[in-house]
Amino acid sequence: MEVLQLLISGMANGCVYGLVALGFVLIYKATEAVNFAQGDFMMLGAFVTLGFVNPEFMGIPFWLALPLVFLVMGTFGYLLDVIVLRAVFGQNQVAVIILTIALGFILRFVAGLIWGHEPLSLHSPLALGDLRMGELVLGMADVAIIITTFVLTLLLWQFFQRTKIGLAMQAASQNQMAAYYMGIPVKRVHGFVWALAGIVAAVAGILYASKGAIDPNAGFIGIKAFAAAVIGGFGSLPGALMGGLIVGIIEPFAARYLPPGYSQIAPYVLLIAVLLFRPHGLFAQVRVKKV
Amino acid sequence: MRIHFKTSYDHDIRLFQDGWQAFLYTALLALMVALPWLIDDFFLGEATNVLIWATCGLGLMLLTGQTGQASLGHSAFMALGCYSCVLLMEAGLPFILAFPLGGIITGIIGGLIAIPALKLHGVYLAIATLALAILTDDLIVMLEPWTGGVGGKFAPTITVFGIEVNRWSNPAAWYYMTLIVVLVVTLFYRNLLRAPMGRAFAAVRDSEISAQAMGVNIARTKTLAFGISAGITGLGGALMGLFAEVFNNETFTFIISIQLLMMIVVGGLGFIHGAFLGAIVIAFLPQFLSIVTDSMGSTVAIPGLETAVFGVIMILFILFEPMGLYGRWLKIRTFLELFPFARKDMFRRQKTYLKTERLR
C-alpha cells in the first residue's frame, strides 16, 4: 500500500516535470533550440493565473480566467519569439541557450517584483481535497494532474504526427533552408510553436500551483524537467512524459529507501547514467551524421 | 593603418605582431605592476577580484571560445580546484606546491569527465555539465568529513617564500600573487593558441567534420581542451575560495558557472581580451548597482536585481553585439584605422541555417 501511495504521488510530481519537459521538447522539435527558461515560463503561467483568479488580485472565476491565461501566455510566447529570438535565427544553439537563461533571470525578477517573494497559493478548483479508496489516499489535484497530462501529451503527439502544421514544424527544424524551399513559412511556424510552449507552460503552472504554493523560484524545477527530457530522449513527446514520470517516481522512493541527501541527487545521477549509456535518451532519435 | 609585410611564415604566429603592440602590452603590464601605489586598498581588492574572475573566465574561454563546447558546469571545477588545493595545504604541502597540484588534479579529473561527455555535443553537453554542477553542490554536503559540508572551510594561511599573503594585512601581496597567476595562465593560453594544439581546437570549433578530414583526432582534442580548461578554472576557483577566506557548497553553485558563461559572452567569445573585459563587468556590476539603488533612495536590497540586470545586458549583447565588448572595440578600431574606407558590412555574419541531427 505504501508503495502504491508513493507511486501515485511520484506520478503526479512526474507529470508536472513531464509537462515542463514537453515544453522543452516542443520548442526543440520545431526550432532546434532549447528554451532554458521553460521552468520560468511555468512559474509565470502560474502567477498570471493567480493574478486573475485569486480574490486579493482580480478575482475572476477560474474557468473564465483559463482562456484568458492561455491567451496571455500564448501571446507572450509569440511576442518573445518575434522580438527576441528571431534576431538569433539560424545562429548556433549556444546563443539561444544563453539568451533563454538570461530571460529566465529576468522573468524571475519581474515575477518577484509584481507578486512578491512569499509563497502564494492559487485558489484552484482542482485542490478539492482527498479521494479515499480503502487505505489509499489520493489528492484530487494529483488525479487531475495525471489525467490532464496524459490527455495533453496524447493530443500534442498526434498534432505533431498528423496535422499539416505539425509536420511543417518538424520540417522546419530538420532543415530550415529546405523547409523554406518547400514553401513553409519557417519564422511564422517558430512563432506559433513558442506560443504553444507558452500555453503548455501555463497548464503546467496551473497544475503545479494546484498542488501547493508557488514562488518566483519555482522555475528551478525546470532543471529536473531537463533531466526528464534528456532521459526520455530530447525530441520525443511521449519520451518527455516518460522521462518526467521516471524522475518523479524515483524521487519519493529514493527519499523513502535511501539515506538522506541521496533523493536530491538521484535524478541527476540517473541523467548522467543515461547520457553515458544511451546518450540520446531512451527514445533516441539521433544517429551519427554521415558525410 | 599599419601594414605588415610578411617575409616568413613565423610572422603569422608571433607573440606580438609588431613593436607597437609589444610596447602597448608592456605598458599595460607596467601599469598593472604599479597599481598598488595608484589606488587604495578597497579598489586593490576589487582589482584582485577582477583578475580571479578573469582566470576562471580564461579557463572556460578555452573550452567555449576556442573549442566551441558550451559548458554550464565549470563551477564544479572551481570547487574541485579550491577543495583540492586547500586539502593539500592542510596535509602539510606549502602553497606554492599545493596550488599548481590542485590545478593539475582538477585538469586530470576534468579530462576523465570529458571522455564520456565527448559523445555529447551542443545542448546535451550543456545539460550534462549543468547536472555535474548541481551534483557537485550536493556532493560537497555529502562528503562532509573532507569538505566541511554546509559549515564550510576556512582558508589556511598562505605563505609564499616566507611572505605571509593575507588579504587584509597585506593586500598588495595578494594582488601580486593573483597577477602572477593570471600572467602565467595568459601566456600559456596565448602560446597554446600558436601551437598545433590550439589550431586543432579552432578547427574542431569551426567544423568537426572538416577537422576530422584534416587529420585532427577529435576525441583527443576535445578531451585535452576539457582537461586544460578545467585545470585553469580550478586554479581560478582555488584563488576565489582562498580570497573569500570562508567557503562552502554555496560558494560554487551552478549560478556561478552560468555567470561565468555569460561573462565570456559579454567580453567577447574567443578572445583573451574578452575574458578580462567580461571579468571587469561582472566584478563591478554589484558595486555599480548598489550605488544606483542608493542614489534612488532605496535602502533594502532588491532580490534578484543583480542577475536580472545581468540578464538584460546579456540579451542586449546577444542581439546587438554577439562579438562582445572586444568585438565592439575591434569594429571601432577598424573604423578608425581605415577611415574613411570602413564599411558597415565588414563584420557582417554569413547567413546560416540550422539542420537537425534527429531522424524523426
Side-chain angles (χ1 to χ4, degrees):
Chain A
M1 217 17 86
E2 194 194 348
V3 171
L4 204 60
Q5 190 76 54
L6 285 179
L7 198 67
I8 302 269
S9 73
M11 267 176 83
N13 268 334
C15 281
V16 176
Y17 299 151
L19 276 179
V20 179
L22 216 58
F24 289 132
V25 172
L26 275 178
I27 290 178
Y28 184 66
K29 215 168 157 65
T31 72
E32 202 69 4
V34 176
N35 177 16
F36 271 69
Q38 187 71 25
D40 299 290
F41 270 37
M42 183 214 77
M43 178 272 296
L44 191 68
F47 269 120
V48 169
T49 319
L50 197 139
F52 278 132
V53 173
N54 272 20
E56 69 263 33
F57 294 105
M58 285 167 81
I60 301 173
F62 180 81
W63 298 107
L64 211 66
L66 214 51
L68 275 177
V69 173
F70 292 159
L71 189 71
V72 169
M73 287 303 290
T75 318
F76 174 71
Y78 183 76
L79 287 181
L80 195 68
D81 179 62
V82 171
I83 296 169
V84 180
L85 287 141
R86 208 156 277 187
V88 292
F89 180 81
Q91 279 180 35
N92 74 22
Q93 295 169 328
V94 178
V96 184
I97 292 176
I98 297 170
L99 203 62
T100 49
I101 291 176
L103 204 66
F105 284 152
I106 296 170
L107 288 183
R108 220 168 292 151
F109 174 70
V110 171
L113 220 54
I114 300 177
W115 289 286
H117 290 268
E118 296 301 312
L120 296 172
S121 55
L122 172 68
H123 286 240
S124 155
L126 299 176
L128 273 181
D130 298 333
L131 197 69
R132 284 178 185 281
M133 292 202 289
E135 286 176 47
L136 204 64
V137 184
L138 297 178
M140 280 302 280
D142 288 358
V143 179
I145 287 172
I146 294 172
I147 294 171
T148 318
T149 308
F150 274 86
V151 170
L152 193 63
T153 310
L154 198 70
L155 280 179
L156 285 173
W157 187 33
Q158 289 307 312
F159 168 76
F160 261 89
Q161 302 291 3
R162 305 222 184 272
T163 62
K164 212 169 178 179
I165 183 155
L167 291 174
M169 283 175 178
Q170 294 197 37
S173 118
Q174 279 178 7
N175 190 331
Q176 287 176 345
M177 203 190 293
Y180 265 126
Y181 288 158
M182 294 299 122
I184 293 168
V186 176
K187 287 184 177 172
R188 211 183 308 154
V189 164
H190 281 193
F192 183 73
V193 83
W194 275 89
L196 200 60
I199 293 170
V200 171
V203 174
I206 292 168
L207 295 178
Y208 180 83
S210 304
K211 271 171 67 72
I214 182 114
D215 68 290
N217 285 328
F220 278 119
I221 76 155
I223 298 172
K224 276 181 196 158
F226 248 132
V230 174
I231 289 167
F234 240 97
S236 154
L237 291 168
L241 180 59
M242 268 310 289
L245 286 176
I246 291 172
V247 171
I249 289 171
I250 270 187
E251 269 187 321
F253 279 95
R256 176 75 184 75
Y257 297 108
L258 290 178
Y262 285 89
S263 74
Q264 293 167 28
I265 65 169
Y268 307 111
V269 172
L270 183 71
L271 166 67
I272 288 179
V274 167
L275 284 176
L276 289 189
F277 298 110
R278 263 189 87 86
H280 297 294
L282 301 174
F283 295 74
Q285 298 192 316
V286 187
R287 278 187 212 155
V288 176
K289 202 189 265 179
K290 295 212 172 74
V291 186
Chain B
M1 188 189 169
R2 298 184 305 279
I3 293 165
H4 300 286
F5 184 67
K6 292 171 183 163
T7 49
S8 107
Y9 288 117
D10 287 343
H11 279 205
D12 279 331
I13 55 168
R14 272 187 189 162
L15 203 52
F16 300 110
Q17 273 188 329
D18 50 24
W20 172 242
Q21 212 182 16
F23 168 75
L24 279 182
Y25 284 103
T26 318
L28 180 66
L29 182 63
L31 178 71
M32 295 301 280
V33 170
L35 211 56
W37 286 280
L38 300 175
I39 56 180
D40 63 11
D41 283 355
F42 172 76
F43 282 104
L44 199 60
E46 290 300 309
T48 314
N49 197 19
V50 168
L51 291 181
I52 293 173
W53 271 103
T55 315
C56 302
L58 280 173
L60 185 58
M61 187 72 87
L62 192 66
L63 191 67
T64 307
Q66 245 63 44
T67 324
Q69 314 291 312
S71 161
L72 290 174
H74 264 53
S75 64
F77 300 125
M78 286 166 72
L80 195 59
C82 182
Y83 278 101
S84 50
C85 172
V86 169
L87 286 176
L88 285 172
M89 281 169 79
E90 281 175 358
L93 246 64
F95 176 76
I96 199 117
L97 277 179
F99 182 66
L101 258 181
I104 290 168
I105 292 172
T106 314
I108 291 170
I109 295 182
L112 288 178
I113 289 173
I115 293 170
L118 280 180
K119 292 193 219 159
L120 317 168
H121 46 93
V123 178
Y124 287 91
L125 186 67
I127 294 168
T129 46
L130 181 66
L132 187 73
I134 295 170
L135 273 180
T136 306
D137 191 336
D138 288 315
L139 276 178
I140 292 173
V141 179
M142 284 162 74
L143 296 175
E144 202 186 329
W146 292 341
T147 60
V150 185
K153 250 181 158 22
F154 290 91
T157 333
I158 306 165
T159 334
V160 184
F161 299 126
I163 305 165
E164 191 188 317
V165 182
N166 185 294
R167 183 180 168 180
W168 307 112
S169 64
N170 199 355
W174 238 111
Y175 172 76
Y176 282 129
M177 186 175 82
T178 318
L179 186 63
I180 290 168
V181 173
V182 169
L183 261 181
V184 171
V185 167
T186 312
L187 272 179
F188 172 76
Y189 192 121
R190 184 77 179 88
N191 280 319
L192 189 73
L193 293 192
R194 304 193 299 148
M197 179 60 66
R199 301 298 169 119
F201 287 173
V204 168
R205 171 192 62 193
D206 293 339
S207 163
E208 282 189 24
I209 291 168
S210 31
Q212 211 166 11
M214 298 297 282
V216 174
N217 183 340
I218 293 194
R220 187 170 151 268
T221 309
K222 278 192 190 171
T223 315
L224 271 168
F226 219 97
I228 297 172
S229 157
I232 295 176
T233 312
L235 292 180
L239 284 178
M240 191 175 278
L242 292 170
F243 191 61
E245 296 199 313
V246 186
F247 50 90
N248 63 357
N249 59 325
E250 297 273 311
T251 317
F252 304 105
T253 55
F254 70 96
I255 299 286
I256 299 283
S257 40
I258 292 175
Q259 278 186 323
L260 210 55
L261 184 63
M262 292 186 164
M263 178 183 111
I264 61 173
V265 173
V266 168
L269 215 51
F271 304 107
I272 294 178
H273 306 73
F276 287 90
L277 293 173
I280 292 171
V281 172
I282 205 166
F284 282 105
L285 189 67
Q287 262 76 12
F288 175 72
L289 281 179
S290 71
I291 291 168
V292 171
T293 44
D294 277 352
S295 68
M296 283 161 75
S298 108
T299 46
V300 274
I302 306 167
L305 177 69
E306 197 185 307
T307 43
V309 170
F310 207 63
V312 171
I313 294 175
M314 205 57 241
I315 290 181
L316 292 179
F317 264 98
I318 291 205
L319 294 187
F320 301 111
E321 187 50 274
M323 285 169 80
L325 282 171
Y326 188 67
R328 174 52 58 182
W329 160 242
L330 276 185
K331 286 174 193 174
I332 295 171
R333 194 178 72 185
T334 312
F335 178 80
L336 293 177
E337 278 179 357
L338 292 183
F339 189 82
F341 298 114
R343 286 290 173 269
K344 212 174 106 193
D345 285 349
M346 287 179 74
F347 284 89
R348 190 160 165 176
R349 294 194 198 211
Q350 211 176 358
K351 244 195 182 110
T352 51
Y353 294 90
L354 280 175
K355 276 185 200 169
T356 187
E357 274 141 19
R358 287 176 287 117
L359 291 174
R360 271 181 288 157

